[in-house]
Amino acid sequence: MKKSGFSRRWFLGGTALAAFGHTLGLENLVAQAPRTPTSEEATDLLLVNGSIHTMDAASRVVSTVLVRNGRFAAVGNSVPSQARGVRRIDLKGKTVIPGLIDAHNHIVLVGNRPGWHTPLEHVFTIPDAIAALKKRAADVPQGEFITTVGPIAAMQFPEKRLPTLTELDAVERPVYIQAAQGGARTNSLGKAWLESKGVTVAADGAIAGPALNLALKTLRQELLTPATRKRGAHDALQYYAALGITTHRDCGAFHAEGIEGGIASENVYTMHDPFLALHRDGAMPARLRIEFLHQDPPNANPPLPTLLPRLHNSFPFFGDEWIKTGGIGEFTGGGVEGLRAIARAGWRGEDHTLNLANVTQLIKDRETVNAEIPIGNLRWIISHIPQFPSELADRANAMGIGVLVGWGPTRTGTNVGPPYRMLMAHAIKKGYHSDGGDITVINPWLNFYTIVTGKNLAGQPILGDQTLTRQEVLWLATAANKWFIWEDDLGSIEVGNRGDVAVLDRNCFTVADEELKGTRSLLTVVGGRIVHNDGIL
């Protein structure tokens, strides 16, 4: 007999999400309780004969794990006695890691792109990119657009450019590609359509200057619907699940009404709708943690016009294991007054920094607030930190502030940071983030490649002597990121933790550096649910 979908946890989860949706003005999308299965409905799994890197405090590598009711029930080197009646998977020596946590990206932007959106962060030659687009075209109705907006960089390819119109003409659908680091390309079908809408396209399919924003705006206006957004949200989460990411902490967007704005813009009050719709349908392939970006000017009248209503009418850490609210970030807004308001409300806050002067001011402002309203237990965050001397790390750590690092595969220059080696020796809380989805890539293996080798995707050295070992990088992206999402039962393979794992197609600890970039997951499990299976079963 089929187990009833109703349980106390299921009911409470639905009630919580309905309240969350009301807070965001999304009552129409959460009128029903969500149907994402709870951990009681997850598959019981026994993984054997693996090289399972637990990322626990002892950095154990074991051969066997048991997942029951969505959590690790046994971790070791022998089959546990309670493993009868579960699904047994022989890993045949494959490398297994905890599900990866990207503690700061822009996955929600990726999920709201127009057309049949197709990330291309996993291909490294133009012929391979064309092959991926042609494979996608097999599922796309004739005449409908295949798009890639953000999750691609020209640096991925030996030519250091995007495919041309002639190359893209091998795809028998209109194609539009807009790279994370600028520039766009289309093919003949896309060129004809865009030109009919008043967009200027060069003979080789290039789109630049004012035409770039017009092209994206037009595609949004013509192609975005609630149904296409929902499809895009699912495809985005599924794409990165195939690369091993099981938890995303999204850090917002620049607010734009309607379809206005550039590649980093969306309506911050409605952009979560498709993800909530997926959750209601029980179709979330990964966990989503939501941050709220605010940019109120310091001297606004009335003060903090968007931040204060958010703090008064929303809740941090509210939802369930699949979708949950977080804090304010990656911009807090309102200067010191904004920080005071966040501290008084007891919320987490995050700002990013791009240079030494900026991060010095961020630390100073937080010291001002901390002297009035202690923030030591709020886990405030500063992200990116390309320049961050140990003296500032000392001051940040004294206030209980953590830092997020990563964010490098498409950067250029020499010794551009972050100072990884200093941070690994420092007591400050540190974790991994990609910052990808709009201005750079999310693919964790491209980011790990840069941190390990010190090179960007063009092969140029950018980190000096500030590289890390593979074990250190994987620790930052798993166990270390528990702190940044306030969930201590994720990020490591330990009894009682949620059953999130990625079974990899190669040994990421030993393969050649260039091969590291191509790593993918053969089997991704989130809370005992198999969300990606690439032929291992």
Side-chain angles (χ1 to χ4, degrees):
M1 181 176 179
K2 183 179 178 181
K3 181 179 177 181
S4 168
F6 293 91
S7 66
R8 181 173 183 271
R9 182 178 299 184
W10 185 90
F11 177 78
L12 291 175
T15 304
L17 197 67
F20 169 35
H22 179 76
T23 298
L24 296 181
L26 307 177
E27 296 90 338
N28 60 318
L29 285 177
V30 290
Q32 304 176 45
R35 299 201 332 261
T36 297
T38 63
S39 58
E40 291 92 344
E41 299 168 303
T43 303
D44 291 343
L45 299 171
L46 176 65
L47 307 181
V48 300
N49 298 327
S51 177
I52 302 169
H53 295 253
T54 64
M55 295 297 161
D56 65 6
S59 299
R60 288 191 303 156
V61 181
V62 301
S63 62
T64 304
V65 297
L66 173 66
V67 180
R68 275 199 182 278
N69 298 324
R71 293 181 181 269
F72 295 114
V75 178
N77 290 311
S78 60
V79 176
S81 59
Q82 68 267 43
R84 291 185 294 274
V86 303
R87 185 174 188 178
R88 185 179 188 276
I89 300 174
D90 186 347
L91 300 173
K92 300 178 181 178
K94 295 293 185 186
T95 298
V96 181
I97 59 173
L100 296 172
I101 301 168
D102 191 337
H104 171 141
N105 67 23
H106 300 278
I107 187 70
V108 172
L109 281 172
V110 180
N112 279 280
R113 300 306 192 194
W116 291 76
H117 195 249
T118 307
L120 291 172
E121 293 180 357
H122 65 294
V123 294
F124 305 105
T125 70
I126 287 176
D128 285 345
I130 300 302
L133 293 171
K134 290 174 72 173
K135 182 178 180 181
R136 176 65 153 170
D139 298 321
V140 175
Q142 196 75 34
E144 295 195 17
F145 258 95
I146 298 173
T147 59
T148 304
V149 181
I152 186 174
M155 278 188 188
Q156 289 170 235
F157 308 121
E159 298 86 349
K160 307 300 180 286
R161 62 168 175 82
L162 298 178
T164 64
L165 178 143
T166 301
E167 291 163 334
L168 291 172
D169 275 347
V171 184
E172 296 179 352
R173 301 291 186 276
V175 177
Y176 177 85
I177 296 176
Q178 184 168 337
Q181 291 299 315
R185 293 290 188 277
T186 189
N187 61 359
S188 294
L189 292 172
K191 184 175 188 290
W193 188 90
L194 288 165
E195 288 178 336
S196 75
K197 307 293 182 180
V199 178
T200 300
V201 181
D204 65 352
I207 305 168
L212 194 60
N213 283 340
L214 179 59
L216 185 56
K217 176 180 177 180
T218 303
L219 288 164
R220 284 173 168 167
Q221 185 173 28
E222 298 283 341
L223 305 182
L224 278 176
T225 68
T228 63
R229 288 178 188 266
K230 182 178 174 182
R231 181 186 68 213
H234 179 272
D235 287 354
L237 292 172
Q238 191 68 57
Y239 177 81
Y240 293 109
L243 294 172
I245 302 179
T246 55
T247 302
H248 300 263
R249 179 172 163 265
D250 181 83
C251 284
F254 300 129
H255 181 63
E257 294 295 329
I259 44 82
E260 303 294 331
I263 194 172
S265 300
E266 254 297 341
N267 186 313
V268 301
Y269 302 106
T270 62
M271 68 184 191
H272 304 105
D273 289 12
F275 294 87
L276 293 172
L278 280 179
H279 186 282
R280 185 179 66 241
D281 289 348
M284 289 285 289
R287 310 178 193 281
L288 178 66
R289 303 300 179 250
I290 296 170
E291 302 293 295
F292 302 109
L293 186 152
H294 285 271
Q295 290 188 291
D296 294 337
N299 299 313
N301 187 18
L304 307 177
T306 70
L307 178 59
L308 284 182
R310 174 71 70 188
L311 296 173
H312 290 162
N313 295 291
S314 300
F315 301 93
F317 312 115
F318 191 70
D320 64 14
E321 71 169 291
W322 293 95
I323 294 184
K324 188 179 295 184
T325 61
I328 305 299
E330 77 184 90
F331 299 105
T332 53
V336 172
E337 284 307 309
L339 295 174
R340 285 194 181 101
I342 295 167
R344 289 192 191 102
W347 280 57
R348 177 176 62 204
E350 176 184 6
D351 278 292
H352 86 198
T353 175
L354 299 177
N355 54 55
L356 181 58
N358 182 217
V359 70
T360 302
Q361 188 63 51
L362 292 180
I363 297 296
K364 181 179 178 181
D365 289 348
R366 282 150 178 76
E367 288 171 334
T368 298
V369 172
N370 187 55
E372 305 167 16
I373 311 163
I375 63 172
N377 294 322
L378 299 182
R379 302 194 189 186
W380 282 16
I381 301 166
I382 298 176
S383 53
H384 308 348
I385 57 166
Q387 297 167 298
F388 196 65
S390 58
E391 179 263 336
L392 288 184
D394 292 342
R395 290 164 62 185
N397 186 53
M399 293 183 281
I401 291 172
V403 292
L404 286 172
V405 294
W407 172 70
T410 58
R411 299 179 70 204
T412 58
T414 56
N415 300 313
V416 297
Y420 293 108
R421 286 257 56 91
M422 180 275 286
L423 291 170
M424 291 303 295
H426 199 282
I428 193 170
K429 296 293 184 181
K430 52 264 179 184
Y432 161 80
H433 75 314
S434 70
D435 194 32
D438 50 358
I439 63 169
T440 189
V441 293
I442 292 177
N443 184 338
W445 304 103
L446 303 186
N447 284 275
F448 298 167
Y449 167 83
T450 292
I451 301 171
V452 166
T453 67
K455 299 176 183 178
N456 63 17
L457 293 181
Q460 301 161 338
I462 63 171
L463 294 182
D465 61 357
Q466 292 295 302
T467 58
L468 298 182
T469 68
R470 299 185 192 195
Q471 177 72 22
E472 289 169 331
V473 171
L474 267 295
W475 176 79
L476 287 172
T478 54
N481 270 344
K482 298 170 185 276
W483 189 88
F484 292 88
I485 57 172
W486 284 61
E487 295 176 59
D488 291 336
D489 59 355
L490 295 178
S492 58
I493 300 173
E494 301 180 75
V495 172
N497 283 1
R498 297 193 184 276
D500 296 3
V501 299
V503 180
L504 304 181
D505 70 334
R506 66 200 69 187
N507 187 337
C508 64
F509 297 94
T510 61
V511 295
D513 288 342
E514 291 303 314
E515 288 187 42
L516 185 63
K517 292 188 291 186
T519 305
R520 57 186 174 85
S521 178
L522 297 173
L523 182 76
T524 306
V525 179
V526 183
R529 290 180 59 198
I530 296 173
V531 300
H532 169 71
N533 172 26
D534 191 12
I536 196 172
L537 298 181

